[in-house]
Amino acid sequence: AQSVTQPDIHITVSEGASLELRCNYSYGATPYLFWYVQSPGQGLQLLLKYFSGDTLVQGIKGFEAEFKRSQSSFNLRKPSVHWSDAAEYFCAVFLGNNDMRFGAGTRLTVKP
Amino acid sequence: GAVVSQHPSRVICKSGTSVKIECRSLDFQATTMFWYRQFPKQSLMLMATSNEGSKATYEQGVEKDKFLINHASLTLSTLTVTSAHPEDSSFYICSARVVHLNYGYTFGSGTRLTVV
C-alpha cells in the first residue's frame, strides 16, 4: 500500500540544538514530497517540496530536507531550532490525481 | 500569493443545528478544493474533494447528506455540517491545489467546531 510514515510522534529538543524529523514513504514511482508545519489551531503551511533534481531542498524558516531514494526517506532538518518552531510537522506525498497522503505528524516541543 | 481564507475560525452550535464553513481563494482560482477533518493530535483525514460546478466526491465512510459541500464558483467552496451532533466536533480544514506551486496545496486556517 502507498503510505507515508512519520516514526516519531513527539520530539523534544533544546533551543539552539539541531533537529531532524523522519519521514518514510512507500510508493512505486518517484513521488512528489512535501513538508508542512501546523501551529496550534491553524491550517498547514508549506515548508518545502521535492519533485526532482537536487535531492537536498531548501525551505522557509531555515528548514531543509533530503530525499534519499535508497532509503525511501525525506527527512526534515534544521541546524538550530528556535522556540517559535514548536508545532506539528506533517510529511506528505502527492500520488497524482488529487491524491495527497499525509503522515500522522510529529509534534515538536522546544525546551528553553 | 495563493491564500485560502477560511471562516469562521471557531464556532459553537447546538445539537441538531447546521453550521456552514466557507473557504475562499483570495488571489487565484481554485477549480478543486479539498475538505479535511482533523481529530486531536492526529493527521488530516480527507473527507471530500469539491470541483467547481459539479458534485463533490466523498471519501469512503463520509456521509454526504451530513456533510454538504458546494463549490458554486472558482473562488468559493462551502461545507455545511447538517444536524450536527457532539461527535461532529472537530477541526475542519480546507485546501486548494495551486498550479504554480507545482502540486503543492495551500490550506485554510481551519475551523474548530464544537457541538454542545
Side-chain angles (χ1 to χ4, degrees), chain A residues 17-19 21 35-40 42-49 57-65 76-89 108 110:
Chain A
S18 63
L19 171 70
L21 302 182
W35 274 100
Y36 288 88
V37 60
Q38 183 182 33
S39 297
Q42 298 292 315
L44 275 68
Q45 180 183 23
L46 179 66
L47 285 176
L48 47 79
K49 59 185 183 289
V57 294
Q58 303 297 319
I60 63 171
K61 304 184 179 186
F63 286 92
E64 67 177 26
L76 181 72
R77 301 195 294 248
K78 187 169 184 177
S80 178
V81 169
H82 188 261
W83 64 266
S84 60
D85 293 324
E88 189 88 18
Y89 291 81
L108 173 65
V110 180

Side-chain angles (χ1 to χ4, degrees), chain B residues 10-110:
Chain B
R10 293 177 182 272
V11 58
I12 301 173
C13 70
K14 293 183 179 180
S15 288
T17 62
S18 296
V19 173
K20 180 185 284 188
I21 302 170
E22 291 189 348
C23 271
R24 295 181 183 273
S25 56
L26 297 185
D27 47 5
F28 68 102
Q29 292 182 333
T31 55
T32 303
M33 281 198 177
F34 308 89
W35 287 94
Y36 294 87
R37 183 173 181 176
Q38 185 179 30
F39 293 98
K41 300 184 180 181
Q42 294 189 28
S43 189
L44 287 75
M45 181 190 77
L46 180 64
M47 299 174 65
T49 302
S50 75
N51 295 290
E52 184 267 336
S54 63
K55 289 184 178 180
T57 303
Y58 290 82
E59 296 298 302
Q60 192 173 8
V62 178
E63 298 176 61
K64 60 182 180 181
D65 294 330
K66 167 171 267 304
F67 299 100
L68 299 179
I69 291 173
N70 184 279
H71 196 156
S73 78
L74 287 171
T75 59
L76 175 64
S77 177
T78 61
L79 167 67
T80 301
V81 183
T82 63
S83 187
H85 289 280
E87 57 263 32
D88 298 326
S89 299
S90 192
F91 193 62
Y92 295 87
I93 307 176
C94 65
S95 76
R97 201 175 91 189
V98 186
V99 173
H100 71 267
L101 286 184
N102 286 339
Y103 303 102
Y105 286 22
T106 188
F107 289 81
S109 55

